[in-house]
Amino acid sequence: MNEYSQRALLPEGLHDEIMPTAEAEARIVHALTACFASHGYDLVAPPLIEFEESLLSGPGAVRGAHMFRLMDPQGQATLALRSDITPQIARIAATRLARAERPLRLAYSGQVLRVRGNQLHPERQFTQTGAELVGVDTTAANVEVILLAVEALNALGVEGLSVDLIQPTLVPAICDAFGLDADTALKVRTALDAKDVGALSGLGGDAEHVLARLLAAAGPADAAFNVLKSLNLPASAAQKCADLWDVCAQITAAVPDLKVTVDPGEFRGFRYHTGVCFSFFAAHGHRELGRGGRYLIDSAGNGSGGESATGFTIATDSLLRVLPDLTPPRRLFMPFDAAADAGAKLRSEGWQTVAGLEPVADDFAEAERLGCDHVLRDSEVVSCGGRKN
Amino acid sequence: MSANESLVIALPKGRILKEVMPLVRKAGIEPEAAFDDPNSRLLRFATNHDNVSLIRVRSFDVATFVAFGAAQLGVAGNDVLMEFDYSELFAPVDLNIGHCRLVVAEPKEMSEHDDPRRWSHVRVATKYPTLTRKHFAARGVQAECIKLNGAMELAPQLGLCRRIVDLVSTGDTLKANGLVEVEKIADISSRLVVNRAASKTLPELVGGWVDRFREVVNGD
């Protein structure tokens, strides 16, 4: 450890991605976007930095406290670094691609930066990969994006994938229906945010009963819907549950062995959403892999609402943590005197080749020093262990 | 039952543990004998259920163990939950034990001519700096917190600061140290806490125990 090593430490929440995770993550991103493309989602790539104002419109309205800002020396305008890519996709759909045919299917992958991480996900810079389906507000559209994410995550080998279905507008609808005043509604939100049934006490009457049952209903989909049906919810809230049920029934029919849970009291972190939402978990992961749901695009750029869209974002670093170790690539050492054209053919067969830049006494020792498990000898691939492939 | 479906329940050491254990036992969990042996050096205890084990940690650490998924269930007061505000913790059952209040207290003679409505800046000794700062911020009062881990009541006596934020159950400790309660921040009781990811990925198992504890509490 020298002085430079210490000076080169990075700020909290930032780190150098090195081998082998950097390559593994690149492969994950490629697999995800290829899956999205195979379903007709077109890749778009917005810039890292934009005018602060446009990053804060539509679904970006709740991101203000999360963004790094800087001044543009050219136009003296305040710029912000994206902390979430979804608002950028919404902006593209509302402006550049306003006249493109609907439904509009867009995919993206890129780095985001946020002012602070949280305890479970301390990274301040990470890669978001996702897809958005713009312009259709139907159960079929909700189902399409969930199944797209499920297909992509299963194809990568996520073990024990589960989907949690959420209807963040349900609790506000119930508060409205019971005519709770603003102070009480705030108390309810805080209690439900922490899923703290104790904090609901003192609310009294039907509202306390219904909300407490709602909190207790979280769990496997069938059981949760049975509780919801028994609650005699007001009409507006009942409709929201029915929407959720339709989505649940269709994704279960499409992927029968998928684990589906329902959490009717959840809305933490789903501040801008207007309909069915969802998050993804892996059996042994401590944090969610990704999330998404329905929201409104700010079509006129004045906060008056507009087109409906749904989509999801996967945090690629969280995904990487739950995937089985990727098979290491086969590495082949090409001694200094190997024929120059031998490598091309082997690389096309899937070998990674490492060239010796000067003659050495023992090619096998050199191969192992450089992390290769095979050596090219007399135009033949020889394994370092058995000394014969 | 695979090893992947095993549960760890984190319980707080000390005063609350005596109140928690009857509930745990009523829920049908019986720890191995070493759990009640004060000389045991074990930190993790098997139970009569193959897939359930207990750990005993400091009350603040219960929240941390459960939030990070190292334990799937736990018992923690809402004082601890408010201090950490972990988004990965749920508190689905109020266990109705460990009742006390979180209060602002100050020396008796000072309280006689002190009007809490006119505070603009306070210096407070507390175990709960985040929660204290948030409480005062909501009233527009600047709070400078001095973090202590215990014996808060000494702080005003020895001139560390004039006010404290601490848990009070009977009020005897305050009284013995010449302090009086001037403002209540919250009523506190112990909650059953659950890790968010575990409640999604093991819904039957985790939900089953949550229901058991809820029945035990409601049956009383």
Side-chain angles (χ1 to χ4, degrees):
Chain A
M1 186 66 61
N2 58 26
E3 197 214 348
Y4 182 43
S5 292
Q6 293 201 8
R7 271 192 291 132
L9 288 178
L10 294 166
E12 198 178 309
L14 299 172
H15 60 264
D16 292 320
E17 204 67 82
I18 57 173
M19 62 289 215
T21 47
E23 195 192 332
E25 192 163 354
R27 279 201 261 169
I28 289 176
V29 167
H30 180 258
L32 290 173
T33 50
C35 176
F36 304 159
S38 75
H39 284 268
Y41 285 73
D42 291 312
L43 198 62
V44 292
L48 260 179
I49 304 175
E50 293 197 19
F51 291 119
E52 177 193 26
E53 210 183 344
S54 65
L55 277 180
L56 286 175
S57 71
V62 295
R63 305 292 307 175
H66 303 274
M67 298 190 309
F68 280 97
R69 290 164 171 85
L70 59 160
M71 180 71 85
D72 184 357
Q74 282 182 19
Q76 302 290 301
T78 305
L79 306 181
L81 276 114
R82 65 186 179 194
S83 62
D84 185 14
I85 298 180
T86 306
Q88 298 187 301
I89 307 300
R91 173 180 57 72
I92 290 173
T95 56
R96 284 336 136 238
L97 297 177
R99 292 185 193 170
E101 290 300 331
R102 273 16 182 197
L104 185 63
R105 291 180 168 90
L106 300 175
Y108 58 88
S109 180
Q111 303 252 309
V112 296
L113 197 64
R114 54 185 180 179
V115 173
R116 68 182 76 84
N118 54 42
Q119 294 115 344
L120 270 197
H121 192 186
E123 287 78 11
R124 295 202 285 175
Q125 182 181 343
F126 60 97
T127 302
Q128 284 190 338
T129 305
E132 307 289 330
L133 174 51
V134 180
V136 183
D137 183 3
T138 60
T139 295
N142 290 333
V143 170
E144 174 174 313
V145 295
I146 295 175
L147 291 181
L148 177 63
V150 168
E151 181 182 326
L153 292 170
N154 274 335
L156 276 167
V158 173
E159 221 180 294
L161 179 67
S162 71
V163 180
D164 191 38
L165 293 176
I166 299 144
Q167 179 60 284
T169 57
L170 186 59
V171 170
I174 291 173
C175 289
D176 273 359
F178 281 112
L180 301 184
D181 60 66
D183 276 355
T184 319
L186 182 70
K187 194 178 154 197
V188 168
R189 283 188 88 97
T190 322
L192 291 186
D193 251 357
K195 288 283 178 58
D196 186 355
V197 80
L200 280 175
S201 65
L203 202 60
D206 284 352
E208 182 179 336
H209 173 72
V210 168
L211 291 167
R213 293 282 308 276
L214 207 65
L215 271 187
D222 290 339
F225 280 113
N226 282 337
V227 175
L228 289 177
K229 274 177 208 148
S230 73
L231 277 180
N232 282 327
L233 292 173
S236 60
Q239 182 55 48
K240 292 178 195 300
C241 290
D243 292 346
L244 202 59
W245 172 244
D246 288 344
V247 170
C248 181
Q250 290 190 30
I251 59 174
T252 312
V255 190
D257 55 351
L258 182 67
K259 188 181 275 180
V260 182
T261 54
V262 172
D263 195 344
E266 172 84 303
F267 56 78
R268 191 164 185 148
F270 293 91
R271 290 275 185 253
Y272 64 78
H273 293 86
T274 58
V276 174
C277 293
F278 43 86
S279 3
F280 301 102
F281 293 88
H284 312 303
H286 291 323
R287 63 196 203 196
E288 64 180 36
L289 305 176
R291 57 164 57 189
R294 186 155 289 286
Y295 60 93
L296 284 184
I297 284 174
D298 184 9
S299 298
N302 59 10
S304 62
E307 241 183 330
S308 185
T310 185
F312 61 87
T313 294
I314 289 165
T316 324
D317 57 337
S318 301
L319 177 55
L320 187 61
R321 291 161 68 115
V322 301
L323 289 182
D325 284 339
L326 298 166
T327 13
R330 298 187 304 168
R331 281 226 160 141
L332 174 69
F333 178 64
M334 311 259 302
F336 182 65
D337 54 6
D341 57 351
K345 181 166 171 291
L346 289 162
R347 281 190 294 273
S348 74
E349 291 166 1
W351 286 98
Q352 295 185 347
T353 61
V354 175
L357 296 177
E358 57 190 3
V360 290
D362 181 349
D363 286 339
F364 287 98
E366 182 68 356
E368 274 172 32
R369 189 179 74 82
L370 293 174
C372 298
D373 40 17
H374 290 78
V375 173
L376 186 68
R377 166 153 290 184
D378 306 328
S379 313
E380 247 190 279
V381 173
V382 184
S383 154
C384 290
R387 306 247 151 156
K388 185 80 193 163
N389 190 21
Chain B
M1 190 72 63
S2 76
N4 302 328
E5 295 191 358
S6 65
L7 281 188
V8 175
I9 305 180
L11 300 175
K13 283 181 180 171
R15 179 176 65 91
I16 304 291
L17 190 64
K18 289 195 196 74
E19 295 186 60
V20 174
M21 283 319 289
L23 297 179
V24 172
R25 293 198 157 100
K26 252 189 219 167
I29 298 173
E30 187 59 46
E32 61 181 304
F35 190 82
D36 295 310
D37 174 4
N39 295 321
S40 168
R41 300 279 179 112
L42 278 183
L43 294 172
R44 184 174 176 176
F45 303 90
T47 68
N48 54 335
H49 299 268
D50 287 345
N51 62 338
V52 177
S53 57
L54 301 180
I55 58 171
R56 233 173 12 198
V57 295
R58 295 175 137 228
S59 62
F60 276 69
D61 294 341
V62 168
T64 307
F65 271 88
V66 179
F68 283 80
Q72 288 72 36
L73 291 167
V75 172
N78 52 322
D79 51 334
V80 176
L81 301 185
M82 287 190 287
E83 175 65 15
F84 285 127
D85 197 21
Y86 282 127
S87 58
E88 303 300 313
L89 275 190
F90 294 168
V93 183
D94 185 343
L95 295 173
N96 201 21
I97 55 172
H99 287 282
C100 53
R101 304 186 301 282
L102 188 68
V103 304
V104 187
E106 61 187 22
K108 188 162 186 296
E109 59 276 20
M110 178 178 160
S111 72
E112 280 155 11
H113 37 85
D114 187 28
D115 182 355
R117 289 170 304 175
R118 296 186 173 217
W119 291 346
S120 90
H121 173 265
V122 291
R123 184 188 283 178
V124 189
T126 182
K127 233 158 113 175
Y128 307 95
T130 313
L131 162 54
T132 301
R133 224 171 277 126
K134 235 187 247 172
H135 168 74
F136 283 112
R139 304 180 19 183
V141 177
Q142 300 272 348
E144 190 186 314
C145 296
I146 301 171
K147 164 93 204 255
L148 292 180
N149 292 309
M152 243 66 60
E153 294 82 0
L154 279 176
Q157 270 180 41
L158 300 180
L160 188 61
C161 60
R162 295 185 299 173
R163 301 186 179 90
I164 65 169
V165 165
D166 200 9
L167 293 180
V168 174
S169 52
T170 59
D172 289 348
T173 316
L174 284 187
K175 211 169 167 190
N177 288 284
L179 300 172
V180 290
E181 174 181 337
V182 285
E183 199 175 44
K184 183 176 90 176
I185 297 178
D187 287 311
I188 306 299
S189 63
S190 297
R191 314 284 159 95
L192 182 71
V193 294
V194 178
N195 173 262
R196 175 165 178 257
S199 77
K200 310 297 182 196
T201 55
L202 301 171
E204 289 88 1
L205 187 60
V206 170
W209 283 111
V210 170
D211 289 343
R212 274 287 250 295
F213 275 96
R214 190 180 288 122
E215 284 159 21
V216 167
V217 172
N218 292 340
D220 274 345

